[in-house]
Structure formats: structure tokens, C-alpha cells
């Protein structure tokens, strides 16, 4: 009887652990050049790059996500998305694994855009644009995102230099011993 209870408890733990985890294929970050950071003579525009995603879920799951998003204390709501590859990209921002449905859709589209930019040997992206729409059909809700921008390559001879911060390192003790001691003149008074 005890063996059955332990086995059942182990199966329940595995079931809850598998429900709580989300699998990620790839997380990719890519730089975004904001206007004013580099003058236009310092980079070459390679061309426009785009990425698109099309997440879908049942209408009930979408309603549950939206209700949870605007609640005072959001919970960890598990929803199965169709067309979610797990490959997420983040342009001009750090990777984030806690995303709402709109951020997830944008991250899927940005990943595709990053891959296109990398394929063309781009160093960064300028003028990022994003458009997200929600469409509802009979039983399914679609969250569609299209992102676009210009892939650019930084000119190596543009005069743009990367500044590396210099850390102050304390002098080793051996160097301190080689210094000559400071001599002061002492006079006696009567």
C-alpha cells in the first residue's frame, strides 16, 4: 500500500512539474540603433527586414488570458498556443521569459526578423516598427504580429569606437616595497 502511495505521489509531482515548465527553443537578443545614436554616415543600410507571427488559441483560452492580465493579482495561467515554436527574439531589449500573449507574439516575429538580419551579416537594426492585431473567428482567436526595420552594418572606418571601461586595480604589494621612503628633515631646538 505504501509503495502505491509513493508511486502516485511521484507521478503527481512529475505531472505538476511538467505543467509548470515552458520549453524554449532559442532566445536571441539583437541590438537596436535609436535615432541619434549614430549619424547616418557611420552605417550602411542593407535593406528592410521583416518577421511575422500568428499565434492562435481557443476563444475561451484567450478570454482567460486577458482576464488574468488585467486582474489585481495575475496567476500563472497555462495556455496551449498553436504555432508557438519557442524561438523568441528581443530587439533592443533583454530576453524575457515571462511574456503575455502580445509580447510572446512580438518575440516570435522578432526572432524571425533577427535571423534574416543575421543571414545578411547585419550588425544592428534601425527604425523598428511593430503591428499587432487580434482577430476572432468562430472558435479561435488569432494574435498576429508583423515587425519590420532596416538591417544595417556599421562601417569599420567610420570613426565610431567602442569605449571599454577601465577598472582601477590596486597596486600590488611588491611595488609598494620598492618605493623609497619619504625623508623629512628634523631639527632640534634648544
Amino acid at each position: 500500500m505504501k509503495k502505491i502511495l509513493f508511486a502516485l505521489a511521484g507521478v503527481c509531482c512529475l505531472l505538476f512539474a511538467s505543467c509548470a515548465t515552458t520549453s524554449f527553443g532559442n532566445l536571441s537578443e539583437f541590438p537596436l540603433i535609436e535615432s541619434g545614436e549614430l549619424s547616418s554616415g557611420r552605417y550602411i543600410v542593407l535593406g528592410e527586414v521583416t518577421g511575422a507571427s500568428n499565434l492562435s488559441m481557443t476563444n475561451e483560452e484567450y478570454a482567460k488570458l486577458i482576464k488574468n492580465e488585467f486582474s489585481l493579482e495575475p496567476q500563472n495561467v497555462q495556455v496551449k498556443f498553436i504555432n508557438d515554436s519557442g524561438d523568441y527574439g528581443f530587439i533592443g531589449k533583454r530576453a524575457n521569459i515571462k511574456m503575455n500573449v502580445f509580447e510572446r507574439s512580438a518575440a516570435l516575429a522578432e526572432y524571425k526578423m533577427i535571423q534574416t538580419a543575421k543571414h545578411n551579416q547585419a550588425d544592428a537594426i534601425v527604425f523598428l516598427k511593430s503591428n499587432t492585431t487580434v482577430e476572432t473567428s468562430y472558435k479561435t482567436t488569432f494574435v498576429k504580429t508583423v515587425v519590420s526595420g532596416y538591417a544595417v552594418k556599421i562601417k569599420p572606418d567610420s570613426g565610431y569606437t567602442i569605449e571599454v571601461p577601465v577598472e582601477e586595480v590596486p597596486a600590488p604589494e611588491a611595488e609598494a616595497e620598492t618605493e623609497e621612503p619619504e625623508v623629512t628633515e628634523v631639527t632640534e631646538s634648544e
Side-chain angles (χ1 to χ4, degrees), residues 4-164:
I4 294 172
L5 287 175
F6 284 125
L8 185 59
V11 169
C12 287
C13 288
L14 287 174
L15 178 64
F16 288 127
S18 67
C19 290
T21 59
T22 304
S23 62
F24 296 102
N26 294 303
L27 296 176
S28 183
E29 296 175 359
F30 204 70
L32 173 70
I33 298 177
E34 297 289 340
S35 61
E37 288 184 5
L38 281 178
S39 65
S40 61
R42 292 187 171 177
Y43 58 85
I44 302 166
V45 177
L46 300 174
E48 187 174 10
V49 288
T50 61
S53 71
N54 187 8
L55 279 179
S56 59
M57 68 212 85
T58 65
N59 292 342
E60 292 82 20
E61 288 177 326
Y62 180 73
K64 182 171 50 171
L65 279 174
I66 296 302
K67 181 179 177 184
N68 183 52
E69 186 68 28
F70 293 107
S71 68
L72 293 176
E73 295 181 23
Q75 304 297 315
N76 188 12
V77 176
Q78 295 292 326
V79 172
K80 181 166 176 67
F81 298 99
I82 302 168
N83 302 329
D84 187 352
S85 65
D87 295 330
Y88 303 113
F90 304 91
I91 298 175
K93 56 189 176 273
R94 303 292 300 167
N96 177 20
I97 59 173
K98 294 184 178 184
M99 299 175 280
N100 63 33
V101 66
F102 306 109
E103 293 166 333
R104 183 182 301 256
S105 179
L108 287 165
E110 287 178 18
Y111 179 81
K112 292 176 184 175
M113 185 175 169
I114 289 169
Q115 296 311 310
T116 303
K118 284 182 177 180
H119 178 75
N120 291 290
Q121 287 87 35
D123 295 323
I125 292 176
V126 294
F127 306 119
L128 179 67
K129 297 178 279 186
S130 178
N131 183 33
T132 301
T133 58
V134 178
E135 298 175 4
T136 305
S137 71
Y138 176 64
K139 291 184 179 182
T140 309
T141 299
F142 300 96
V143 178
K144 298 178 182 182
T145 302
V146 177
V147 293
S148 64
Y150 292 101
V152 297
K153 185 143 191 84
I154 307 296
K155 290 182 183 178
D157 60 348
S158 67
Y160 186 74
T161 58
I162 303 296
E163 293 182 16
V164 180

Side-chain angles (χ1 to χ4, degrees), residues 158-189:
S158 67
Y160 186 74
T161 58
I162 303 296
E163 293 182 16
V164 180
V166 178
E167 292 183 29
E168 292 184 19
V169 180
E173 303 252 345
E175 290 180 12
E177 292 175 5
T178 60
E179 293 180 11
E180 294 181 15
E182 188 177 317
V183 178
T184 57
E185 190 174 309
V186 179
T187 59
E188 287 184 22
S189 61

